Amino acid sequence: MRTPRRGSVSSADRTTIAFDRYGDGRSVILIGGAYNDRSAMAGVAEAISSGSLAAVTYDRRGRGASTNNDSEFESERELDDLSAMIEALGGSVGVFGHSSGAVLGLEAAMQRLPIDRLAVYEPSYMIAGTRPLPPDDLDERLSALVRQGRRDDAVVLFSTDAVGLPAAVVKGMRAGPVWGRLTALAHTLPYDLAVHHGYRLPTARLAELRLPLLALDGSESFPWIRTTVRAVAQAIPGARHLTLEGKDHSVLQHPEALRSALVEFFG
């Protein structure tokens, strides 16, 4: 396994953002979703880094070795973090995002950050009629639980009202070994909500993008999110849609499945 070079940048509010860089080529920033720190993208970074590509993973604010000087959970702070990363890496990069990390990548592109190519795997927007939309007060309720230190309740609320898991499934998760990993990052969940701006697909804003975009999904993923991925690809002029056969939303656990598509797209 390749040993990455570790570094950090200072964001606009002096939050420290920690990152790992794999390889020496053109920079591609990898952005994880909810409950992910930079270790979740390490396998993908290993898979795609080569002589021509350098994969860069980072801890979104409040996760891993990154700090957080923001108490309001504003999505703009995460854009500041990404902007600081891009500047440190030379001023123009490729980006690959997964789930809410894909939404963050799309938001960064819509905000005109210097991203020259963008690949997204199952950005977690929702289209009315394909599944129940989260309640309008979810951001407020989740942020309140986090501020009160109620991590277990925050994970339950996010899992049921945002992810859409049945209460019985969440109860089973709570009794399993994964629960500790989820609650350890529960304090960052308001950022995963904030970046969605209500979870509705921003079709008109996406239509204004003018950059190469690859929208990926898995053939075994939920139908609602596959509908979302197709809608993202259809909204952005020139975007390409690709389905990975046999894969689902947990594709980061199978990084080799992403290798060919991402190396071809970014290379």
Side-chain angles (χ1 to χ4, degrees):
M1 179 176 291
R2 180 179 307 179
T3 301
R5 296 195 303 279
R6 296 188 171 177
S8 65
V9 297
S10 181
S11 192
D13 66 351
R14 298 186 179 179
T15 287
T16 297
I17 303 299
F19 67 87
D20 287 343
R21 182 181 175 96
Y22 298 74
D24 299 304
R26 177 176 172 276
S27 295
V28 178
I29 297 177
L30 312 181
I31 311 175
Y35 302 117
N36 290 163
D37 57 20
R38 70 184 188 273
S39 67
M41 280 288 191
V44 179
E46 285 275 355
I48 71 169
S49 59
S50 63
S52 61
L53 292 179
V56 181
T57 65
Y58 75 102
D59 287 328
R60 291 168 61 183
R61 61 173 48 217
R63 312 180 191 206
S66 291
T67 61
N68 183 17
N69 292 332
D70 169 43
S71 61
E72 300 302 319
F73 309 114
E74 295 176 335
S75 61
E76 289 79 5
R77 301 293 76 75
E78 289 216 277
L79 293 174
D80 289 342
D81 303 342
L82 191 53
S83 181
M85 287 284 299
I86 293 172
E87 182 177 356
L89 294 170
S92 183
V93 300
V95 168
F96 167 67
H98 174 265
S99 194
S100 69
V103 174
L104 179 54
L106 285 164
E107 186 64 31
M110 289 186 285
Q111 293 288 347
R112 300 298 188 263
L113 268 64
I115 297 169
D116 53 32
R117 299 183 80 82
L118 175 61
V120 293
Y121 190 93
E122 298 187 357
S124 40
Y125 295 118
M126 299 174 193
I127 297 174
T130 63
R131 59 153 290 177
L133 295 171
D136 292 337
D137 65 347
L138 180 57
D139 294 57
E140 180 180 344
R141 290 160 57 207
L142 183 66
S143 296
L145 291 175
V146 168
R147 291 191 178 100
Q148 294 164 18
R150 296 167 59 185
R151 290 177 177 249
D152 289 84
D153 292 337
V155 173
V156 170
L157 180 62
F158 184 82
S159 299
T160 54
D161 287 29
V163 180
L165 296 177
V169 172
V170 177
K171 183 177 180 180
M173 291 166 52
R174 196 166 188 168
V178 72
W179 194 255
R181 181 173 66 81
L182 302 183
T183 56
L185 288 170
H187 61 290
T188 65
L189 291 174
Y191 287 109
D192 294 290
L193 288 186
V195 73
H196 288 85
H197 300 291
Y199 277 89
R200 278 68 170 177
L201 188 71
T203 306
R205 295 176 66 217
L206 291 172
E208 296 177 358
L209 289 179
R210 298 294 184 272
L211 82 168
L213 184 129
L214 176 63
L216 297 148
D217 63 3
S219 65
E220 303 307 304
S221 292
F222 291 120
W224 71 265
I225 204 163
R226 298 197 65 201
T227 298
T228 294
V229 175
R230 288 192 294 270
V232 167
Q234 290 166 3
I236 300 171
R240 186 161 68 97
H241 172 228
L242 177 65
T243 295
L244 301 184
E245 293 299 325
K247 297 297 176 273
D248 58 18
H249 200 63
S250 63
V251 73
L252 298 185
Q253 299 174 23
H254 309 280
E256 286 299 325
L258 291 161
R259 184 183 186 280
S260 177
L262 294 184
V263 170
E264 178 186 353
F265 179 70
F266 290 113

